[in-house]
């Protein structure tokens, strides 16, 4: 998190909602820097960030229960505009002298709110008397408003669905404007930061690039930096940004663990060495990784094995280079948030699913993390500012452990080769159909199941390949992509005809609700 406050910052106090990150993203999409702090350290965050406005998030707590979370009093003593969302509305009401009760009608999902009064929060978006779709998720509700508040919106199960104290610039909504299921929610948040708080649109990736380059130069000086390059968007953008700042003081190390997609390592080496002329060490460590993973079926053991070996190989290569003063990492803002204990939850487990682990303290290097204030979509935009090609910037997310997570059951070279071919054909068909950018993530999975089939005049006993494709806005939730049968038939036919070892293809149509780990 930033040590130097941005000129216009919105502080978001997190009470444990699964979608708090979306509030920060919507505010940033409106051109204003925002940062999340857990309610336990909100007062320290307030003093550090010196915000111009505050948003109180939702959360699983119940305000009437003794010991439930509260916002620090400094928020209400500061004279700053405040927006409370769901639990945030309820704790705001309770702390300012209103009442919140449990036991009323619960409301989860789509609802329709009537606009009862005009307000700067609704300006240019909603008019008095109109009904609009919003997304509710609450069991408690405010039953008595604090002095100075008026009702500006109501729904059948939430008579005080939107309230405001215009004089103090306090606003509160029972629904969630940050989620896409409230279609106009982003506009309401934009009204709050611009029309109510009066903040400027100074958060752009062009400005961030210049600030980050200056900060890297100041931090690194004449020191040496090494960067673990995975070929993914995050590490690639971090490497380009650092190289633009300090040139050949940066050396990248690509550890090829033999679990990358078809031609992926060669493509990364070509782009960084030939196009960008960045010093790059390519280490083919596939034998080390695949020998250690041979026959291993437990997914968590796979991750830990890959993480341990990655550290060992990376450390050995760094020593060959004579060491370095700094280690560059493509840490993103969601990683920073997940590393902080908010109100408990599955984030540690989820995080281990995607990553291969951090580097040990014994390497004795300081960290350079130029992306740690950014969300994924901001990193992609920064990549465009740095000149990365669109086809690279728009790549689907791919976990650090690579194809090992797409091989339920044991990892063998033969099964990896089969999966790699099927995966390449599947992605090729997606691109040919013009669907790649409409899909958030797509991949093939080689199931540890063999079935009897007939191909031509012969009987086969070969593997089943599963195809997965999901749509998502943020990766927190996902739904399967609704392919037509013509596409699935074409993709399946090519895989079966061209990949020896597969005689059946299935399509996975499961969805990913909040807080779950994607299917292996």
């Amino acid at each position: 998190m930033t040590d130097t406050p941005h000129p216009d910052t919105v502080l978001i106090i997190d009470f444990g909602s699964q979608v708090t990150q979306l509030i920060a993203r919507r505010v940033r999409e409106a051109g204003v820097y925002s940062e999340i702090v857990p309610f336990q350290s909100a007062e320290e965050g307030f003093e550090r960030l010196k915000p111009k406005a505050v948003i109180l998030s939702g959360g699983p707590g119940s305000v009437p229960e003794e010991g439930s979370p509260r916002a620090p009093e400094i928020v209400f003593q500061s004279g700053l505009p405040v927006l409370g969302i769901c639990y945030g509305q309820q704790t705001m009401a309770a702390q300012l002298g209103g009442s919140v009760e449990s036991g009323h009608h619960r409301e989860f999902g789509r609802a329709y709110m009537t606009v009862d009064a005009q307000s700067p929060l609704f300006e240019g978006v909603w008019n008095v008397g109109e009904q609009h779709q919003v997304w509710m998720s609450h069991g408690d509700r405010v039953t008595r408003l604090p002095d100075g508040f008026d009702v500006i919106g109501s729904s059948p199960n939430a008579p005080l669905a939107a309230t405001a104290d215009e004089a103090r610039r306090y606003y509160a909504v029972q629904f969630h404007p940050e989620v896409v299921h409230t279609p106009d929610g982003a506009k309401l948040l934009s009204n709050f930061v611009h029309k109510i708080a009066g903040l400027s649109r100074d958060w752009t990736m062009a400005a961030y690039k210049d600030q980050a380059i200056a900060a890297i130069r100041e931090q690194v000086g004449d020191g040496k930096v090494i960067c673990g390059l995975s070929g993914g968007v995050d590490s690639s953008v971090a490497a380009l940004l650092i190289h633009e700042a300090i040139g050949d003081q940066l050396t990248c190390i690509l550890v090829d663990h033999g679990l990358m997609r078809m031609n992926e390592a060669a493509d990364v080496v070509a782009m960084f060495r030939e196009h960008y002329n960045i010093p790059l060490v390519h280490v083919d460590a596939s034998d080390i990784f695949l020998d250690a993973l041979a026959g291993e079926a437990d997914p968590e053991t796979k991750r830990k094995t890959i993480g341990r070996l990655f550290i060992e190989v990376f450390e050995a290569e760094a020593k060959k280079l004579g060491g370095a003063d700094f280690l560059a990492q493509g840490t993103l803002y969601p990683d920073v948030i997940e590393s902080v204990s908010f109100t408990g939850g599955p984030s540690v487990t989820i995080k281990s699913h995607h990553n291969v682990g951090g580097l040990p303290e014994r390497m004795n290097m300081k960290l350079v993390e130029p992306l740690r204030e950014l969300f994924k979509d901001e990193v992609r935009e920064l990549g465009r500012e740095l000149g990365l090609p669109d086809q690279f910037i728009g790549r689907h997310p791919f976990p650090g452990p690579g194809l090992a997570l797409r091989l339920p059951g044991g990892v063998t070279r033969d099964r990896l080769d089969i999966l790699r071919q099927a995966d390449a054909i599947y992605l090729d068909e997606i691109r040919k159909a013009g669907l790649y950018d409409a899909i958030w993530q797509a991949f093939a999975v080689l199931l540890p199941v063999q079935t009897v089939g007939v191909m031509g005049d012969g009987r086969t006993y070969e593997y089943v390949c599963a195809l997965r494709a999901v749509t998502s806005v943020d990766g927190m939730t996902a739904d399967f992509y609704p392919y037509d049968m013509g596409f699935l038939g074409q993709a399946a036919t090519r895989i079966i005809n061209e990949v020896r070892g597969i005689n059946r293809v299935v399509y996975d149509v499961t969805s990913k609700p909040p807080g779950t780990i994607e299917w292996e």
Side-chain angles (χ1 to χ4, degrees), residues 185-207:
K187 297 176 183 177
L188 302 185
L189 289 170
S190 179
N191 277 350
F192 176 71
V193 298
H194 294 304
K195 296 182 183 299
I196 294 168
L199 306 185
S200 60
R201 297 177 183 269
D202 62 358
W203 178 252
T204 67
M205 286 305 99

Side-chain angles (χ1 to χ4, degrees), residues 117 120 126 136 177 213 274 277 316 331 333 358 450 455:
W126 292 345
M136 296 283 193
I213 287 172
E274 299 169 16
N277 198 30
T331 306
Y333 189 48
Q450 291 178 284
M455 300 176 70

Side-chain angles (χ1 to χ4, degrees), residues 173-467:
V173 294
Q174 182 61 74
F175 59 89
H176 286 269
E178 69 273 26
V179 302
V180 296
H181 309 293
T182 300
D184 297 317
K187 297 176 183 177
L188 302 185
L189 289 170
S190 179
N191 277 350
F192 176 71
V193 298
H194 294 304
K195 296 182 183 299
I196 294 168
L199 306 185
S200 60
R201 297 177 183 269
D202 62 358
W203 178 252
T204 67
M205 286 305 99
Y208 183 85
K209 183 186 79 168
D210 294 338
Q211 295 168 7
I213 287 172
I216 292 165
R217 288 172 179 163
E218 182 178 354
Q219 179 186 6
V220 172
D222 58 0
K224 293 182 179 180
V225 181
I226 58 172
C227 175
L229 191 65
S230 68
V233 175
D234 305 338
S235 65
S236 298
V237 171
L240 282 180
L241 184 64
I242 295 168
H243 185 256
E244 188 155 329
I246 61 172
D248 289 349
Q249 291 170 245
L250 168 71
T251 300
C252 293
I253 299 176
L254 172 62
V255 177
D256 183 353
H257 48 27
L259 302 166
M260 301 176 83
R261 283 174 150 162
M262 184 78 75
N263 300 322
E264 189 171 30
D267 291 344
V268 172
V269 170
M271 182 171 70
F272 279 84
R273 279 185 183 164
E274 299 169 16
H275 187 72
Y276 293 105
N277 198 30
I278 295 178
L280 171 63
V281 177
H282 176 208
V283 186
D284 183 357
S286 54
D287 286 343
I288 297 173
F289 283 84
L290 299 185
D291 287 347
L293 292 169
E296 181 56 61
D298 180 70
E300 195 62 25
T301 301
K302 290 180 188 178
R303 299 182 192 109
K304 291 177 179 177
T305 300
I306 294 168
R308 173 177 56 80
L309 293 175
F310 178 87
I311 291 169
E312 291 173 3
V313 173
F314 190 93
E315 186 175 16
E317 292 301 318
K319 288 180 179 178
K320 291 178 185 178
L321 294 170
D325 306 291
F326 296 89
L327 171 68
Q329 290 186 338
T331 306
L332 302 191
Y333 189 48
D335 300 323
V336 177
I337 296 170
E338 288 177 4
S339 70
V340 178
S341 176
F342 284 75
T343 55
S347 65
V348 173
T349 304
I350 295 171
K351 188 174 175 60
S352 77
H353 172 74
H354 295 287
N355 297 320
V356 296
L359 294 173
E361 292 183 4
R362 67 173 181 268
M363 293 190 71
N364 195 30
M365 287 185 286
K366 299 175 183 177
L367 286 178
V368 179
E369 298 175 304
L371 310 181
R372 66 184 281 112
E373 291 184 350
L374 305 184
F375 287 103
K376 188 79 170 188
D377 53 339
E378 294 172 321
V379 172
R380 296 187 194 280
E381 184 59 34
L382 179 58
R384 293 186 182 94
E385 290 287 337
L386 292 165
L388 270 174
D390 284 341
Q391 67 267 26
F392 187 86
I393 290 172
R395 289 178 61 184
H396 293 171
F398 194 61
L403 295 177
L405 300 185
R406 312 302 184 217
L407 277 175
V411 176
T412 67
R413 286 172 170 79
D414 287 344
R415 294 187 72 222
L416 268 173
D417 288 341
I418 293 170
L419 173 59
R420 194 173 279 116
Q421 294 175 62
D423 185 71
I425 292 170
Y426 179 38
L427 293 180
D428 183 55
E429 286 298 314
I430 289 173
R431 289 189 175 96
K432 285 180 178 177
L435 299 175
Y436 191 86
D437 291 338
I439 295 170
W440 187 77
Q441 186 183 49
F443 52 84
V445 176
L446 192 67
L447 299 180
V449 175
Q450 291 178 284
T451 63
V452 175
V454 176
M455 300 176 70
D457 294 322
R459 179 173 290 178
T460 62
Y461 186 60
E462 295 177 332
Y463 287 108
V464 176
C465 176
L467 305 180

